[in-house]
Amino acid sequence: QIKESATLTRDVLEQHFNDLKGTLRKLLDERLTSLLQEVDVIEQESIKPLDECQKLIEHGVSTADDLLREGESAVDGDVEQQNEKLCNFTKKALHIQLDSLPEVPSLVDVPCLSAQLDDCLLTILKNQIFRHGTVASRPPVQLEEFVEKPGGILVRWCKVDDDFAAQDYRLQYRKGTAAPFEDVYVGSEAEFMVLHIDAHVDYQFRVCARGDGRQEWSPWSVPQTGRTTLVPHEWTTGLEGYSLSSRRNIALRNDSQSCGVLYSKAPTYFCGQTLTFRQVLIETVGQPDRRDSLGVCVEQHSGCDSLQRDKAVCVSTNGAVFVNGKEMTNQLPAVTSGSTVTFDMEVVQLGPCSNEGGNFKLRVTISSNNREVVFDWVLDQCCGSLYFGCSFSYPGWKVLVF
């Protein structure tokens, strides 16, 4: 691991600084080109009026020189030719303004180009470059625990650098080792339930953190492999009153007049696990019915319209807790949009238990909205696994189970 991570770090550093060199060279070349173009523009705009002035002066000097030679020629020769030449000379001289010159700008008004280069840029760059990049012997955050869940994995991580103040965490995962990593969670919590995980398949996870008040992320933790052997919870198909998601872990009470209890496809809830119902969305039509409930049961009863019956424990939408059809005195908060209801059970055996029956007791903990009730559920038979179910009278209830 040390050699592999050191080689990878060298490659990352070399690639990063090569990219910086290329980018800096490109930026410097672009800046140089821009400045040279600016010099060209100033030169062309400033020299144009001076060139025109020079051309006028040269034209005037040339005209005067021609007139001077013509005058000298008029003086020479016989009298008759002189008179004619002098007459032509005089006429031409009257039409030429030899005493005027174009306006010539003063020397202080003529541009004098120069380059102003601040040497402190090198000092600033030097200080920034010497502070750019760090080499960490270990990431500040590491993966700590993988907890198998039906169709998911609860991933926990922890800080290993006490001096690092984490503001946010970023969890990524990928299926196998060939696929690219993808974000699955960004937030301040130190654990996350990753759902839609295929059973008996290896997934790789890694986590990093962002320091308080900083924009960049820390180095990634060492990738670790997690898997679940538990098949995902699924609602059973075919009940007319409910529509299911593609993964069959979300049930929506539709507007069908048909009613009844929607059960799980199989008894996939085992003691020692946590079963969670989450109200994804509630847009109910009509008042909640007192028989509306969420819970677990020993077996399916197709003829019942509620889980408030024998061999079942459940919570009604108004918070009442029922055990084998009897309402308990303890009550939980009402189930509303965004509510999460969890069931935890552990076995407490009263007497000999066999396949033929016997005294069997489960310690049940039901939690909702930071409150919980704990009680013992006595059954007349051993139950290694249980069904879960829900029943709603009006459309709009939408429940995710995991």
Side-chain angles (χ1 to χ4, degrees):
Q1 177 175 313
I2 295 175
K3 290 185 176 181
E4 182 180 350
S5 62
T7 300
L8 179 61
T9 301
R10 291 189 190 96
D11 293 341
V12 170
L13 288 172
E14 290 176 358
Q15 182 64 47
H16 177 74
F17 276 86
N18 284 334
D19 291 344
L20 281 181
K21 288 177 186 177
T23 303
L24 286 174
R25 188 179 297 110
K26 180 181 178 182
L27 292 174
L28 289 173
D29 289 343
E30 290 177 353
R31 182 56 178 164
L32 174 60
T33 300
S34 175
L35 291 173
L36 291 176
Q37 290 175 348
E38 193 173 341
V39 171
D40 293 340
V41 171
I42 295 175
E43 180 185 23
Q44 293 171 5
E45 292 179 349
S46 302
I47 205 71
K48 183 178 180 180
L50 295 178
D51 285 341
E52 293 175 351
C53 182
Q54 183 177 356
K55 290 178 181 178
L56 289 174
I57 293 174
E58 290 176 350
H59 178 70
V61 170
S62 176
T63 302
D65 188 48
D66 293 342
L67 186 63
L68 178 61
R69 284 195 296 270
E70 189 173 339
E72 291 175 347
S73 174
V75 174
D76 298 335
D78 55 30
V79 176
E80 185 178 346
Q81 289 179 339
Q82 285 181 350
N83 289 337
E84 184 180 353
K85 290 182 177 180
L86 286 173
C87 182
N88 293 332
F89 172 79
T90 302
K91 289 180 181 180
K92 186 178 292 187
L94 290 174
H95 289 86
I96 299 176
Q97 296 179 348
L98 298 176
D99 59 344
S100 66
L101 289 173
E103 183 179 358
V104 180
S106 62
L107 189 62
V108 295
D109 293 329
V110 177
C112 180
L113 279 72
S114 62
Q116 300 178 19
L117 303 172
D118 193 348
D119 291 337
C120 72
L121 175 62
L122 293 176
T123 303
I124 295 173
L125 287 175
K126 181 179 179 181
N127 293 334
Q128 290 293 331
I129 289 172
F130 283 168
R131 290 199 301 267
H132 181 69
T134 58
V135 176
S137 61
R138 63 184 63 189
V141 183
Q142 291 285 10
L143 294 168
E144 182 179 31
E145 184 181 16
F146 297 105
V147 180
E148 291 186 56
K149 297 291 183 178
I153 300 176
L154 177 62
V155 184
R156 293 193 176 104
W157 54 88
C158 63
K159 287 198 310 175
V160 293
D161 183 355
D162 294 335
D163 296 329
F164 184 83
Q167 174 180 305
D168 292 306
Y169 298 101
R170 181 182 178 189
L171 178 67
Q172 290 189 335
Y173 83 134
R174 66 181 178 183
K175 190 174 183 178
T177 57
F181 279 100
E182 59 182 88
D183 288 341
V184 69
Y185 172 75
V186 176
S188 58
E189 299 296 327
E191 66 177 34
F192 183 73
M193 169 74 89
V194 183
L195 298 175
H196 310 319
I197 295 293
D198 295 331
H200 307 288
V201 174
D202 287 340
Y203 288 81
Q204 275 201 334
F205 296 85
R206 65 181 185 181
V207 68
C208 66
R210 181 162 50 197
D212 190 17
R214 304 183 70 90
Q215 295 297 321
E216 72 277 6
W217 292 99
S218 73
W220 289 105
S221 66
V222 177
Q224 295 189 39
T225 301
R227 63 158 46 196
T228 181
T229 59
L230 306 175
V231 296
H233 291 316
E234 294 182 10
W235 298 103
T236 190
T237 59
L239 189 60
E240 186 179 346
Y242 294 86
S243 303
L244 306 183
S245 63
S246 59
R247 289 183 175 268
R248 296 182 292 279
N249 60 339
I250 299 177
L252 171 65
R253 180 66 169 92
N254 57 38
D255 55 4
S256 170
Q257 297 299 317
S258 175
C259 60
V261 178
L262 177 65
Y263 292 102
S264 59
K265 179 181 178 181
T268 53
Y269 174 59
F270 295 88
C271 295
Q273 298 177 0
T274 297
L275 178 69
T276 302
F277 297 97
R278 180 174 296 163
Q279 303 299 326
V280 180
L281 173 67
I282 298 179
E283 295 178 351
T284 56
V285 178
Q287 294 296 321
D289 192 283
R290 63 178 300 276
R291 296 171 298 173
D292 294 348
S293 52
L294 302 160
V296 296
C297 56
V298 175
E299 53 194 13
Q300 299 178 350
H301 283 179
S302 58
C304 296
D305 60 359
S306 174
L307 281 172
Q308 299 168 16
R309 59 171 176 80
D310 188 36
K311 296 184 179 181
V313 295
C314 64
V315 181
S316 68
T317 52
N318 63 10
V321 179
F322 290 84
V323 182
N324 291 331
K326 297 181 180 179
E327 184 176 353
M328 295 182 60
T329 55
N330 293 335
Q331 188 163 335
L332 292 169
V335 178
T336 59
S337 178
S339 292
T340 298
V341 181
T342 62
F343 287 75
D344 290 275
M345 298 188 185
E346 58 179 335
V347 178
V348 181
Q349 188 171 323
L350 290 179
C353 180
S354 66
N355 292 332
E356 288 74 24
N359 293 325
F360 192 70
K361 182 168 66 174
L362 297 176
R363 181 72 43 82
V364 181
T365 302
I366 306 177
S367 303
S368 176
N369 293 336
N370 296 321
R371 289 181 58 185
E372 66 178 29
V373 293
V374 182
F375 57 89
D376 289 337
W377 182 21
V378 179
L379 299 169
D380 59 2
Q381 65 186 78
C382 293
C383 294
S385 59
L386 298 167
Y387 290 89
F388 56 85
C390 68
S391 61
F392 300 106
S393 300
Y394 296 98
W397 292 88
K398 193 175 184 180
V399 183
L400 165 69
V401 60
F402 59 90

